[in-house]
Amino acid sequence: MLTEAQRAIVKATVPLLETGGETLTKHFYGIMLKEYPEVRPLFNQAHQASGDQPRALANSVLMYARHIDHLEKLGNLPAQIVHKHVALQVLPEQYPIVGTCLLRAIREVLGAEIATDEVLAAWGAAYQQLADMLIGAEEQVYAANAAAEGGWRGVRRFRVAGKVAESAEITSFYLEPEDGGPVLRYLPGQYIGLRLAIAGQEEQRRNYSLSSIADGKSLRISVKREAGGVVSNYLHDQVQEGSVLEVFPPAGPFTLQASAKPLVLISGGVGITPTLAMLQAALPSGRPVHFIHCARSRAVHAFRDTVDALATQYPQLHRFYSYDQATEADGADAVGYLTTEQLAQWLPKNRDVDAYFLGPKPFMALVKRSLAALGVPESQTHYEFFGPAAALA
């Protein structure tokens, strides 16, 4: 139980973490990944190398400490963390490892004079409060997935029933359960986790968005080949029709909410995967949809033919494409990076809309600022991160 005195200590140490939080979390990860190899599959090494994972953890720790008296002010951050953990199958017995390494990193980075036994006790209690909250919420999701029709807990084996190139970089994998049973009806916008054993590599786990609406029988993911990406290149080059993949149940809070308001879907690059599922789910309701997609070029624009076909079927769908590089034959509606001015032309005149967006972080930061400047209510904008969660400027 976190006491009032410990709460005060945690709040008092926030400035120290603000000045050295990323250094501390890098040290924390170094300890944990070296001394506890059993948790390494839960962490994407590319995100470690780029610094994204330490930055995301530092941001989350700081937000938790700042709002420790009013955890409701954390907004949807806890839900994002819970669903990321569920999709990677983080288990209760792994939390003590994280706590041990975090407290050790605080002591070793800040020094014993600052990180006294009293300070470590306070942070230990605070961490346990956070861990208990996350473990409880994660168990609710695990149990709900297991109880749902076609649901499961832990790993389930799926056979690759189809493999389709959607662009020069993105390939879709159609997955059917090896046991022949039904598949739970996930929500548009959610993702699954994969557990892979790649020759010469440690176990790898990755999340991939589901790029089609649920049919109760199968799953589809659409994977971008990343330069140097261990898992994406393995999927593109080694996984074929008939291959079997180990799949964790769908998760994710970035889901299409029921509404009669006009819907705006904005994506960049492979961010089109969850917005495509949202588009397919929304169109039969009759609500107006503005679908905006940005890509480097026509060659890497996945699912354009699919969206164009939907536009002929559903007259309320307004689609717009922007390419960084384009020729006249590419049929782009704009050339160059997306701008606030361009968005203003493509959004409905009435800004009382529901907007969902996903893509590279700089792209998302631009979209977030632009939507606010153009009068879209902040409470009606929704976004998700590929990779570790972090704040958007």
Side-chain angles (χ1 to χ4, degrees):
M1 176 68 72
L2 187 64
T3 68
E4 287 303 315
Q6 290 172 331
R7 204 179 288 268
I9 290 172
V10 168
K11 290 187 290 185
T13 54
V14 168
L16 293 173
L17 292 179
E18 286 177 331
T19 57
E22 193 172 329
T23 299
L24 188 150
T25 51
K26 283 182 178 178
H27 187 61
F28 153 75
Y29 276 117
I31 295 169
M32 184 172 64
L33 298 181
K34 180 181 179 180
E35 299 185 13
Y36 297 90
E38 64 268 31
V39 301
R40 282 203 290 258
L42 302 174
F43 299 93
N44 186 323
Q45 297 305 305
H47 295 155
Q48 291 293 318
S50 69
D52 284 350
Q53 200 113 42
R55 275 191 292 274
L57 178 63
N59 175 68
S60 299
V61 169
L62 282 171
M63 288 187 66
Y64 170 64
R66 288 191 199 108
H67 301 303
I68 199 161
D69 288 333
H70 302 282
L71 295 181
E72 70 278 3
K73 292 184 179 180
L74 292 174
N76 65 355
L77 178 62
Q80 291 175 3
I81 295 172
V82 164
H83 282 272
K84 292 287 186 184
H85 286 184
V86 167
L88 293 170
Q89 295 290 288
V90 173
L91 300 175
E93 55 266 30
Q94 291 157 341
Y95 275 88
I97 295 174
V98 175
T100 297
C101 295
L102 182 60
L103 295 180
R104 179 175 156 190
I106 291 173
R107 171 63 64 85
E108 293 179 359
V109 171
L110 299 183
E113 290 185 0
I114 296 173
T116 63
D117 290 346
E118 187 180 31
V119 168
L120 291 185
W123 271 98
Y127 173 77
Q128 192 59 54
Q129 174 181 276
L130 177 62
D132 290 343
M133 180 177 69
L134 294 177
I135 289 169
E138 288 157 16
E139 174 55 31
Q140 290 180 9
V141 180
Y142 287 135
N145 279 338
E149 182 182 1
W152 69 98
R153 187 173 189 133
V155 73
R156 187 177 181 186
R157 290 165 58 88
F158 279 71
R159 182 179 60 84
V160 178
K163 181 179 178 182
V164 177
E166 307 290 359
S167 76
E169 295 179 336
I170 297 173
T171 293
S172 288
F173 297 83
Y174 292 77
L175 309 178
E176 296 178 350
E178 193 178 50
D179 58 25
V183 177
L184 79 148
R185 292 187 173 274
Y186 55 86
L187 300 174
Q190 291 193 304
Y191 47 81
I192 58 169
L194 296 183
R195 185 174 73 182
L196 302 110
I198 301 174
Q201 301 281 340
E202 290 185 326
E203 176 191 317
Q204 305 281 336
R205 299 188 187 190
R206 292 292 188 274
N207 297 148
Y208 291 106
S209 294
L210 292 154
S211 59
S212 63
I213 55 174
D215 63 7
K217 298 179 291 186
S218 63
L219 305 169
R220 185 180 76 178
I221 57 173
S222 302
V223 179
K224 178 186 175 186
R225 182 193 291 273
E226 300 287 355
V230 172
V231 173
S232 67
N233 282 280
Y234 172 78
L235 291 171
H236 276 252
D237 297 335
Q238 303 298 322
V239 172
Q240 305 297 334
E241 290 188 16
S243 297
V244 174
L245 297 174
E246 294 187 322
V247 179
F248 299 133
F254 177 66
T255 57
L256 183 65
Q257 305 300 306
S259 173
K261 296 181 186 297
L263 175 64
V264 176
L265 300 171
I266 307 172
S267 55
V270 75
I272 196 173
T273 50
T275 62
L276 181 65
M278 292 179 178
L279 175 67
Q280 294 170 329
L283 286 173
S285 72
R287 68 189 295 196
V289 181
H290 289 237
F291 188 89
I292 299 166
H293 182 65
C294 303
R296 294 197 318 278
S297 68
R298 176 68 180 89
V300 296
H301 179 177
F303 301 111
R304 175 165 175 166
D305 291 344
T306 299
V307 175
D308 288 346
L310 289 171
T312 64
Q313 184 179 356
Y314 295 97
Q316 82 271 24
L317 170 58
H318 308 275
R319 68 202 189 281
F320 305 96
Y321 306 134
S322 178
Y323 299 149
D324 298 353
Q325 309 158 7
T327 66
E328 188 173 339
D330 287 335
D333 298 291
V335 179
Y337 292 121
L338 186 65
T339 64
T340 302
E341 293 72 25
Q342 188 63 74
L343 263 182
Q345 296 179 33
W346 290 343
L347 290 179
K349 290 183 179 180
N350 183 344
R351 307 296 201 227
D352 184 22
V353 302
D354 292 319
Y356 297 76
F357 59 97
L358 186 64
K361 287 178 185 175
F363 170 85
M364 291 172 62
L366 178 279
V367 172
K368 184 180 180 184
R369 291 194 302 269
S370 297
L371 291 176
L374 295 172
V376 177
E378 184 179 2
S379 62
Q380 293 167 209
T381 62
H382 313 271
Y383 58 89
E384 175 66 294
F385 292 95
F386 285 142
L392 282 183

